[in-house]
Amino acid sequence: MKKFKIPQIPQTTSKSIRFPNDVIDEVESVLVGTDCTFSAFVVEAVRVALENLKEESAEDE
């Protein structure tokens, strides 16, 4: 499993995305007391998911 690292801020593009309210609530509760923003958390979560998909794809080949 990949460890969470505080991300460096790359060049970004704004995207609108809708989240279920329960997901927002859960993420926000995890972030209480941290310096991490909601956006940074979501970006890192997507990066980890993409890495997992690559690993699974490599295992299937």
Side-chain angles (χ1 to χ4, degrees), residues 9-44:
I9 307 299
Q11 184 177 12
T12 63
T13 301
S14 179
K15 287 287 201 181
S16 293
I17 183 169
R18 293 184 178 270
F19 288 90
N21 291 338
D22 62 321
V23 173
I24 292 170
D25 292 342
E26 192 167 354
V27 170
E28 288 179 342
S29 71
V30 169
L31 296 178
V32 170
T34 72
D35 290 330
C36 187
T37 64
F38 186 91
S39 291
F41 181 92
V42 170
V43 168
E44 182 62 12

PDB file of all heavy atoms in Angstrom, residues 9-44:
ATOM      1  N   ILE A   9       2.404  21.192  -4.716  1.00  0.00           N
ATOM      2  CA  ILE A   9       1.323  21.765  -5.510  1.00  0.00           C
ATOM      3  C   ILE A   9       1.788  21.961  -6.951  1.00  0.00           C
ATOM      4  O   ILE A   9       2.582  22.849  -7.239  1.00  0.00           O
ATOM      5  CB  ILE A   9       0.841  23.105  -4.921  1.00  0.00           C
ATOM      6  CG1 ILE A   9       0.475  22.948  -3.440  1.00  0.00           C
ATOM      7  CG2 ILE A   9      -0.317  23.668  -5.719  1.00  0.00           C
ATOM      8  CD1 ILE A   9      -0.645  21.980  -3.165  1.00  0.00           C
ATOM      9  N   PRO A  10       1.280  21.117  -7.869  1.00  0.00           N
ATOM     10  CA  PRO A  10       1.633  21.278  -9.281  1.00  0.00           C
ATOM     11  C   PRO A  10       0.727  22.323  -9.937  1.00  0.00           C
ATOM     12  O   PRO A  10      -0.192  22.844  -9.303  1.00  0.00           O
ATOM     13  CB  PRO A  10       1.338  19.892  -9.857  1.00  0.00           C
ATOM     14  CG  PRO A  10       0.193  19.413  -9.016  1.00  0.00           C
ATOM     15  CD  PRO A  10       0.444  19.968  -7.639  1.00  0.00           C
ATOM     16  N   GLN A  11       0.978  22.589 -11.208  1.00  0.00           N
ATOM     17  CA  GLN A  11       0.069  23.458 -11.958  1.00  0.00           C
ATOM     18  C   GLN A  11      -1.298  22.787 -11.923  1.00  0.00           C
ATOM     19  O   GLN A  11      -1.407  21.561 -12.046  1.00  0.00           O
ATOM     20  CB  GLN A  11       0.555  23.606 -13.390  1.00  0.00           C
ATOM     21  CG  GLN A  11      -0.267  24.559 -14.207  1.00  0.00           C
ATOM     22  CD  GLN A  11       0.291  24.737 -15.614  1.00  0.00           C
ATOM     23  OE1 GLN A  11       1.146  23.999 -16.058  1.00  0.00           O
ATOM     24  NE2 GLN A  11      -0.210  25.731 -16.294  1.00  0.00           N
ATOM     25  N   THR A  12      -2.344  23.565 -11.754  1.00  0.00           N
ATOM     26  CA  THR A  12      -3.678  22.983 -11.594  1.00  0.00           C
ATOM     27  C   THR A  12      -4.683  23.578 -12.566  1.00  0.00           C
ATOM     28  O   THR A  12      -4.480  24.653 -13.127  1.00  0.00           O
ATOM     29  CB  THR A  12      -4.206  23.199 -10.161  1.00  0.00           C
ATOM     30  OG1 THR A  12      -4.337  24.600  -9.932  1.00  0.00           O
ATOM     31  CG2 THR A  12      -3.299  22.583  -9.123  1.00  0.00           C
ATOM     32  N   THR A  13      -5.768  22.852 -12.743  1.00  0.00           N
ATOM     33  CA  THR A  13      -6.923  23.291 -13.522  1.00  0.00           C
ATOM     34  C   THR A  13      -8.150  23.062 -12.661  1.00  0.00           C
ATOM     35  O   THR A  13      -8.282  22.019 -12.031  1.00  0.00           O
ATOM     36  CB  THR A  13      -7.051  22.468 -14.813  1.00  0.00           C
ATOM     37  OG1 THR A  13      -5.855  22.633 -15.578  1.00  0.00           O
ATOM     38  CG2 THR A  13      -8.241  22.901 -15.636  1.00  0.00           C
ATOM     39  N   SER A  14      -9.035  24.024 -12.632  1.00  0.00           N
ATOM     40  CA  SER A  14     -10.251  23.904 -11.837  1.00  0.00           C
ATOM     41  C   SER A  14     -11.249  22.975 -12.534  1.00  0.00           C
ATOM     42  O   SER A  14     -11.476  23.079 -13.741  1.00  0.00           O
ATOM     43  CB  SER A  14     -10.876  25.287 -11.642  1.00  0.00           C
ATOM     44  OG  SER A  14     -12.058  25.180 -10.892  1.00  0.00           O
ATOM     45  N   LYS A  15     -11.819  22.040 -11.771  1.00  0.00           N
ATOM     46  CA  LYS A  15     -12.861  21.143 -12.271  1.00  0.00           C
ATOM     47  C   LYS A  15     -13.986  21.129 -11.250  1.00  0.00           C
ATOM     48  O   LYS A  15     -13.741  21.116 -10.049  1.00  0.00           O
ATOM     49  CB  LYS A  15     -12.339  19.706 -12.412  1.00  0.00           C
ATOM     50  CG  LYS A  15     -11.395  19.495 -13.549  1.00  0.00           C
ATOM     51  CD  LYS A  15     -12.162  19.517 -14.834  1.00  0.00           C
ATOM     52  CE  LYS A  15     -11.412  18.833 -15.940  1.00  0.00           C
ATOM     53  NZ  LYS A  15     -12.147  18.884 -17.185  1.00  0.00           N
ATOM     54  N   SER A  16     -15.204  21.127 -11.722  1.00  0.00           N
ATOM     55  CA  SER A  16     -16.348  20.983 -10.815  1.00  0.00           C
ATOM     56  C   SER A  16     -16.685  19.509 -10.705  1.00  0.00           C
ATOM     57  O   SER A  16     -16.707  18.790 -11.705  1.00  0.00           O
ATOM     58  CB  SER A  16     -17.569  21.724 -11.353  1.00  0.00           C
ATOM     59  OG  SER A  16     -17.340  23.103 -11.329  1.00  0.00           O
ATOM     60  N   ILE A  17     -16.906  19.066  -9.493  1.00  0.00           N
ATOM     61  CA  ILE A  17     -17.253  17.672  -9.261  1.00  0.00           C
ATOM     62  C   ILE A  17     -18.239  17.612  -8.104  1.00  0.00           C
ATOM     63  O   ILE A  17     -18.140  18.392  -7.156  1.00  0.00           O
ATOM     64  CB  ILE A  17     -15.999  16.820  -8.979  1.00  0.00           C
ATOM     65  CG1 ILE A  17     -16.353  15.359  -8.820  1.00  0.00           C
ATOM     66  CG2 ILE A  17     -15.224  17.340  -7.794  1.00  0.00           C
ATOM     67  CD1 ILE A  17     -15.169  14.429  -8.792  1.00  0.00           C
ATOM     68  N   ARG A  18     -19.185  16.725  -8.214  1.00  0.00           N
ATOM     69  CA  ARG A  18     -20.183  16.580  -7.146  1.00  0.00           C
ATOM     70  C   ARG A  18     -19.839  15.344  -6.316  1.00  0.00           C
ATOM     71  O   ARG A  18     -19.494  14.310  -6.862  1.00  0.00           O
ATOM     72  CB  ARG A  18     -21.582  16.435  -7.732  1.00  0.00           C
ATOM     73  CG  ARG A  18     -22.043  17.697  -8.410  1.00  0.00           C
ATOM     74  CD  ARG A  18     -23.480  17.538  -8.882  1.00  0.00           C
ATOM     75  NE  ARG A  18     -23.947  18.756  -9.484  1.00  0.00           N
ATOM     76  CZ  ARG A  18     -24.554  19.742  -8.829  1.00  0.00           C
ATOM     77  NH1 ARG A  18     -24.762  19.629  -7.535  1.00  0.00           N
ATOM     78  NH2 ARG A  18     -24.944  20.821  -9.450  1.00  0.00           N
ATOM     79  N   PHE A  19     -19.937  15.495  -5.008  1.00  0.00           N
ATOM     80  CA  PHE A  19     -19.705  14.403  -4.083  1.00  0.00           C
ATOM     81  C   PHE A  19     -20.982  14.144  -3.300  1.00  0.00           C
ATOM     82  O   PHE A  19     -21.688  15.095  -2.949  1.00  0.00           O
ATOM     83  CB  PHE A  19     -18.617  14.770  -3.062  1.00  0.00           C
ATOM     84  CG  PHE A  19     -17.232  14.807  -3.620  1.00  0.00           C
ATOM     85  CD1 PHE A  19     -16.712  15.963  -4.159  1.00  0.00           C
ATOM     86  CD2 PHE A  19     -16.440  13.675  -3.589  1.00  0.00           C
ATOM     87  CE1 PHE A  19     -15.428  16.004  -4.667  1.00  0.00           C
ATOM     88  CE2 PHE A  19     -15.146  13.706  -4.097  1.00  0.00           C
ATOM     89  CZ  PHE A  19     -14.642  14.859  -4.632  1.00  0.00           C
ATOM     90  N   PRO A  20     -21.253  12.903  -2.968  1.00  0.00           N
ATOM     91  CA  PRO A  20     -22.367  12.641  -2.052  1.00  0.00           C
ATOM     92  C   PRO A  20     -22.061  13.315  -0.704  1.00  0.00           C
ATOM     93  O   PRO A  20     -20.903  13.370  -0.273  1.00  0.00           O
ATOM     94  CB  PRO A  20     -22.374  11.115  -1.902  1.00  0.00           C
ATOM     95  CG  PRO A  20     -21.644  10.615  -3.110  1.00  0.00           C
ATOM     96  CD  PRO A  20     -20.634  11.674  -3.449  1.00  0.00           C
ATOM     97  N   ASN A  21     -23.086  13.842  -0.068  1.00  0.00           N
ATOM     98  CA  ASN A  21     -22.898  14.566   1.195  1.00  0.00           C
ATOM     99  C   ASN A  21     -22.216  13.718   2.256  1.00  0.00           C
ATOM    100  O   ASN A  21     -21.405  14.228   3.027  1.00  0.00           O
ATOM    101  CB  ASN A  21     -24.235  15.085   1.719  1.00  0.00           C
ATOM    102  CG  ASN A  21     -24.791  16.193   0.851  1.00  0.00           C
ATOM    103  OD1 ASN A  21     -24.065  16.864   0.125  1.00  0.00           O
ATOM    104  ND2 ASN A  21     -26.094  16.382   0.903  1.00  0.00           N
ATOM    105  N   ASP A  22     -22.524  12.418   2.291  1.00  0.00           N
ATOM    106  CA  ASP A  22     -21.913  11.569   3.313  1.00  0.00           C
ATOM    107  C   ASP A  22     -20.404  11.429   3.091  1.00  0.00           C
ATOM    108  O   ASP A  22     -19.634  11.365   4.051  1.00  0.00           O
ATOM    109  CB  ASP A  22     -22.582  10.194   3.385  1.00  0.00           C
ATOM    110  CG  ASP A  22     -22.466   9.390   2.106  1.00  0.00           C
ATOM    111  OD1 ASP A  22     -22.580   9.960   1.002  1.00  0.00           O
ATOM    112  OD2 ASP A  22     -22.262   8.156   2.207  1.00  0.00           O
ATOM    113  N   VAL A  23     -19.966  11.434   1.837  1.00  0.00           N
ATOM    114  CA  VAL A  23     -18.529  11.358   1.542  1.00  0.00           C
ATOM    115  C   VAL A  23     -17.845  12.655   1.975  1.00  0.00           C
ATOM    116  O   VAL A  23     -16.780  12.631   2.596  1.00  0.00           O
ATOM    117  CB  VAL A  23     -18.276  11.070   0.045  1.00  0.00           C
ATOM    118  CG1 VAL A  23     -16.798  11.161  -0.289  1.00  0.00           C
ATOM    119  CG2 VAL A  23     -18.832   9.702  -0.333  1.00  0.00           C
ATOM    120  N   ILE A  24     -18.462  13.784   1.669  1.00  0.00           N
ATOM    121  CA  ILE A  24     -17.915  15.075   2.088  1.00  0.00           C
ATOM    122  C   ILE A  24     -17.782  15.115   3.607  1.00  0.00           C
ATOM    123  O   ILE A  24     -16.736  15.498   4.137  1.00  0.00           O
ATOM    124  CB  ILE A  24     -18.794  16.243   1.594  1.00  0.00           C
ATOM    125  CG1 ILE A  24     -18.712  16.348   0.078  1.00  0.00           C
ATOM    126  CG2 ILE A  24     -18.382  17.562   2.249  1.00  0.00           C
ATOM    127  CD1 ILE A  24     -19.714  17.315  -0.528  1.00  0.00           C
ATOM    128  N   ASP A  25     -18.822  14.704   4.297  1.00  0.00           N
ATOM    129  CA  ASP A  25     -18.794  14.724   5.760  1.00  0.00           C
ATOM    130  C   ASP A  25     -17.680  13.842   6.308  1.00  0.00           C
ATOM    131  O   ASP A  25     -16.971  14.230   7.234  1.00  0.00           O
ATOM    132  CB  ASP A  25     -20.140  14.261   6.328  1.00  0.00           C
ATOM    133  CG  ASP A  25     -21.274  15.232   6.045  1.00  0.00           C
ATOM    134  OD1 ASP A  25     -20.999  16.409   5.723  1.00  0.00           O
ATOM    135  OD2 ASP A  25     -22.444  14.804   6.147  1.00  0.00           O
ATOM    136  N   GLU A  26     -17.512  12.666   5.715  1.00  0.00           N
ATOM    137  CA  GLU A  26     -16.488  11.744   6.208  1.00  0.00           C
ATOM    138  C   GLU A  26     -15.082  12.284   5.960  1.00  0.00           C
ATOM    139  O   GLU A  26     -14.219  12.229   6.840  1.00  0.00           O
ATOM    140  CB  GLU A  26     -16.657  10.368   5.556  1.00  0.00           C
ATOM    141  CG  GLU A  26     -15.838   9.305   6.223  1.00  0.00           C
ATOM    142  CD  GLU A  26     -16.226   7.897   5.798  1.00  0.00           C
ATOM    143  OE1 GLU A  26     -17.219   7.723   5.065  1.00  0.00           O
ATOM    144  OE2 GLU A  26     -15.493   6.977   6.207  1.00  0.00           O
ATOM    145  N   VAL A  27     -14.851  12.825   4.766  1.00  0.00           N
ATOM    146  CA  VAL A  27     -13.534  13.395   4.463  1.00  0.00           C
ATOM    147  C   VAL A  27     -13.254  14.576   5.389  1.00  0.00           C
ATOM    148  O   VAL A  27     -12.175  14.672   5.983  1.00  0.00           O
ATOM    149  CB  VAL A  27     -13.430  13.829   2.984  1.00  0.00           C
ATOM    150  CG1 VAL A  27     -12.159  14.637   2.736  1.00  0.00           C
ATOM    151  CG2 VAL A  27     -13.478  12.613   2.067  1.00  0.00           C
ATOM    152  N   GLU A  28     -14.218  15.456   5.529  1.00  0.00           N
ATOM    153  CA  GLU A  28     -14.010  16.625   6.383  1.00  0.00           C
ATOM    154  C   GLU A  28     -13.743  16.226   7.834  1.00  0.00           C
ATOM    155  O   GLU A  28     -12.931  16.853   8.509  1.00  0.00           O
ATOM    156  CB  GLU A  28     -15.188  17.580   6.281  1.00  0.00           C
ATOM    157  CG  GLU A  28     -15.209  18.308   4.939  1.00  0.00           C
ATOM    158  CD  GLU A  28     -16.381  19.260   4.760  1.00  0.00           C
ATOM    159  OE1 GLU A  28     -17.383  19.145   5.507  1.00  0.00           O
ATOM    160  OE2 GLU A  28     -16.288  20.108   3.866  1.00  0.00           O
ATOM    161  N   SER A  29     -14.373  15.157   8.304  1.00  0.00           N
ATOM    162  CA  SER A  29     -14.130  14.726   9.683  1.00  0.00           C
ATOM    163  C   SER A  29     -12.721  14.167   9.841  1.00  0.00           C
ATOM    164  O   SER A  29     -12.088  14.338  10.885  1.00  0.00           O
ATOM    165  CB  SER A  29     -15.174  13.705  10.139  1.00  0.00           C
ATOM    166  OG  SER A  29     -14.997  12.463   9.492  1.00  0.00           O
ATOM    167  N   VAL A  30     -12.198  13.513   8.799  1.00  0.00           N
ATOM    168  CA  VAL A  30     -10.835  12.984   8.836  1.00  0.00           C
ATOM    169  C   VAL A  30      -9.815  14.126   8.826  1.00  0.00           C
ATOM    170  O   VAL A  30      -8.734  14.008   9.411  1.00  0.00           O
ATOM    171  CB  VAL A  30     -10.599  12.036   7.631  1.00  0.00           C
ATOM    172  CG1 VAL A  30      -9.142  11.684   7.477  1.00  0.00           C
ATOM    173  CG2 VAL A  30     -11.432  10.776   7.776  1.00  0.00           C
ATOM    174  N   LEU A  31     -10.149  15.230   8.182  1.00  0.00           N
ATOM    175  CA  LEU A  31      -9.213  16.337   8.031  1.00  0.00           C
ATOM    176  C   LEU A  31      -9.157  17.281   9.233  1.00  0.00           C
ATOM    177  O   LEU A  31      -8.261  18.121   9.304  1.00  0.00           O
ATOM    178  CB  LEU A  31      -9.560  17.144   6.772  1.00  0.00           C
ATOM    179  CG  LEU A  31      -9.432  16.388   5.455  1.00  0.00           C
ATOM    180  CD1 LEU A  31      -9.840  17.284   4.293  1.00  0.00           C
ATOM    181  CD2 LEU A  31      -8.033  15.846   5.265  1.00  0.00           C
ATOM    182  N   VAL A  32     -10.079  17.128  10.167  1.00  0.00           N
ATOM    183  CA  VAL A  32     -10.090  17.997  11.341  1.00  0.00           C
ATOM    184  C   VAL A  32      -8.748  17.894  12.069  1.00  0.00           C
ATOM    185  O   VAL A  32      -8.245  16.803  12.317  1.00  0.00           O
ATOM    186  CB  VAL A  32     -11.248  17.623  12.295  1.00  0.00           C
ATOM    187  CG1 VAL A  32     -11.121  18.359  13.616  1.00  0.00           C
ATOM    188  CG2 VAL A  32     -12.584  17.916  11.648  1.00  0.00           C
ATOM    189  N   GLY A  33      -8.159  19.033  12.332  1.00  0.00           N
ATOM    190  CA  GLY A  33      -6.895  19.079  13.054  1.00  0.00           C
ATOM    191  C   GLY A  33      -5.666  18.869  12.190  1.00  0.00           C
ATOM    192  O   GLY A  33      -4.558  18.763  12.699  1.00  0.00           O
ATOM    193  N   THR A  34      -5.846  18.787  10.877  1.00  0.00           N
ATOM    194  CA  THR A  34      -4.707  18.642   9.973  1.00  0.00           C
ATOM    195  C   THR A  34      -4.549  19.928   9.164  1.00  0.00           C
ATOM    196  O   THR A  34      -5.438  20.781   9.163  1.00  0.00           O
ATOM    197  CB  THR A  34      -4.886  17.466   8.989  1.00  0.00           C
ATOM    198  OG1 THR A  34      -5.890  17.807   8.019  1.00  0.00           O
ATOM    199  CG2 THR A  34      -5.291  16.179   9.698  1.00  0.00           C
ATOM    200  N   ASP A  35      -3.439  20.029   8.445  1.00  0.00           N
ATOM    201  CA  ASP A  35      -3.231  21.168   7.554  1.00  0.00           C
ATOM    202  C   ASP A  35      -3.634  20.830   6.122  1.00  0.00           C
ATOM    203  O   ASP A  35      -3.382  21.606   5.211  1.00  0.00           O
ATOM    204  CB  ASP A  35      -1.756  21.598   7.575  1.00  0.00           C
ATOM    205  CG  ASP A  35      -1.370  22.226   8.891  1.00  0.00           C
ATOM    206  OD1 ASP A  35      -2.242  22.834   9.540  1.00  0.00           O
ATOM    207  OD2 ASP A  35      -0.197  22.121   9.280  1.00  0.00           O
ATOM    208  N   CYS A  36      -4.219  19.673   5.923  1.00  0.00           N
ATOM    209  CA  CYS A  36      -4.591  19.203   4.586  1.00  0.00           C
ATOM    210  C   CYS A  36      -5.936  19.794   4.180  1.00  0.00           C
ATOM    211  O   CYS A  36      -6.879  19.826   4.971  1.00  0.00           O
ATOM    212  CB  CYS A  36      -4.657  17.675   4.592  1.00  0.00           C
ATOM    213  SG  CYS A  36      -4.904  16.952   2.960  1.00  0.00           S
ATOM    214  N   THR A  37      -6.026  20.231   2.923  1.00  0.00           N
ATOM    215  CA  THR A  37      -7.297  20.738   2.399  1.00  0.00           C
ATOM    216  C   THR A  37      -8.092  19.597   1.795  1.00  0.00           C
ATOM    217  O   THR A  37      -7.564  18.523   1.486  1.00  0.00           O
ATOM    218  CB  THR A  37      -7.066  21.793   1.306  1.00  0.00           C
ATOM    219  OG1 THR A  37      -6.416  21.161   0.191  1.00  0.00           O
ATOM    220  CG2 THR A  37      -6.248  22.968   1.817  1.00  0.00           C
ATOM    221  N   PHE A  38      -9.372  19.834   1.598  1.00  0.00           N
ATOM    222  CA  PHE A  38     -10.240  18.849   0.963  1.00  0.00           C
ATOM    223  C   PHE A  38      -9.698  18.506  -0.422  1.00  0.00           C
ATOM    224  O   PHE A  38      -9.586  17.337  -0.780  1.00  0.00           O
ATOM    225  CB  PHE A  38     -11.666  19.404   0.858  1.00  0.00           C
ATOM    226  CG  PHE A  38     -12.666  18.410   0.338  1.00  0.00           C
ATOM    227  CD1 PHE A  38     -13.365  17.604   1.209  1.00  0.00           C
ATOM    228  CD2 PHE A  38     -12.914  18.303  -1.019  1.00  0.00           C
ATOM    229  CE1 PHE A  38     -14.292  16.682   0.734  1.00  0.00           C
ATOM    230  CE2 PHE A  38     -13.833  17.391  -1.508  1.00  0.00           C
ATOM    231  CZ  PHE A  38     -14.526  16.576  -0.625  1.00  0.00           C
ATOM    232  N   SER A  39      -9.325  19.528  -1.184  1.00  0.00           N
ATOM    233  CA  SER A  39      -8.818  19.305  -2.540  1.00  0.00           C
ATOM    234  C   SER A  39      -7.536  18.480  -2.538  1.00  0.00           C
ATOM    235  O   SER A  39      -7.378  17.555  -3.343  1.00  0.00           O
ATOM    236  CB  SER A  39      -8.562  20.633  -3.252  1.00  0.00           C
ATOM    237  OG  SER A  39      -9.783  21.284  -3.518  1.00  0.00           O
ATOM    238  N   ALA A  40      -6.608  18.811  -1.642  1.00  0.00           N
ATOM    239  CA  ALA A  40      -5.352  18.061  -1.584  1.00  0.00           C
ATOM    240  C   ALA A  40      -5.608  16.601  -1.219  1.00  0.00           C
ATOM    241  O   ALA A  40      -4.976  15.700  -1.764  1.00  0.00           O
ATOM    242  CB  ALA A  40      -4.401  18.698  -0.576  1.00  0.00           C
ATOM    243  N   PHE A  41      -6.542  16.368  -0.317  1.00  0.00           N
ATOM    244  CA  PHE A  41      -6.899  15.001   0.069  1.00  0.00           C
ATOM    245  C   PHE A  41      -7.448  14.232  -1.124  1.00  0.00           C
ATOM    246  O   PHE A  41      -7.044  13.098  -1.396  1.00  0.00           O
ATOM    247  CB  PHE A  41      -7.931  15.026   1.201  1.00  0.00           C
ATOM    248  CG  PHE A  41      -8.334  13.660   1.675  1.00  0.00           C
ATOM    249  CD1 PHE A  41      -7.663  13.053   2.721  1.00  0.00           C
ATOM    250  CD2 PHE A  41      -9.389  12.984   1.077  1.00  0.00           C
ATOM    251  CE1 PHE A  41      -8.033  11.788   3.161  1.00  0.00           C
ATOM    252  CE2 PHE A  41      -9.766  11.729   1.504  1.00  0.00           C
ATOM    253  CZ  PHE A  41      -9.085  11.128   2.551  1.00  0.00           C
ATOM    254  N   VAL A  42      -8.362  14.860  -1.858  1.00  0.00           N
ATOM    255  CA  VAL A  42      -8.984  14.193  -3.006  1.00  0.00           C
ATOM    256  C   VAL A  42      -7.945  13.918  -4.093  1.00  0.00           C
ATOM    257  O   VAL A  42      -7.928  12.826  -4.674  1.00  0.00           O
ATOM    258  CB  VAL A  42     -10.167  15.028  -3.553  1.00  0.00           C
ATOM    259  CG1 VAL A  42     -10.667  14.478  -4.871  1.00  0.00           C
ATOM    260  CG2 VAL A  42     -11.286  15.087  -2.534  1.00  0.00           C
ATOM    261  N   VAL A  43      -7.063  14.866  -4.367  1.00  0.00           N
ATOM    262  CA  VAL A  43      -6.025  14.657  -5.382  1.00  0.00           C
ATOM    263  C   VAL A  43      -5.142  13.477  -5.002  1.00  0.00           C
ATOM    264  O   VAL A  43      -4.856  12.605  -5.827  1.00  0.00           O
ATOM    265  CB  VAL A  43      -5.189  15.947  -5.591  1.00  0.00           C
ATOM    266  CG1 VAL A  43      -3.948  15.667  -6.415  1.00  0.00           C
ATOM    267  CG2 VAL A  43      -6.039  17.018  -6.257  1.00  0.00           C
ATOM    268  N   GLU A  44      -4.709  13.410  -3.745  1.00  0.00           N
ATOM    269  CA  GLU A  44      -3.855  12.303  -3.315  1.00  0.00           C
ATOM    270  C   GLU A  44      -4.611  10.976  -3.371  1.00  0.00           C
ATOM    271  O   GLU A  44      -4.055   9.953  -3.782  1.00  0.00           O
ATOM    272  CB  GLU A  44      -3.308  12.550  -1.907  1.00  0.00           C
ATOM    273  CG  GLU A  44      -2.378  11.475  -1.414  1.00  0.00           C
ATOM    274  CD  GLU A  44      -1.097  11.304  -2.235  1.00  0.00           C
ATOM    275  OE1 GLU A  44      -0.774  12.159  -3.078  1.00  0.00           O
ATOM    276  OE2 GLU A  44      -0.411  10.278  -2.017  1.00  0.00           O
TER     277      GLU A  44
END
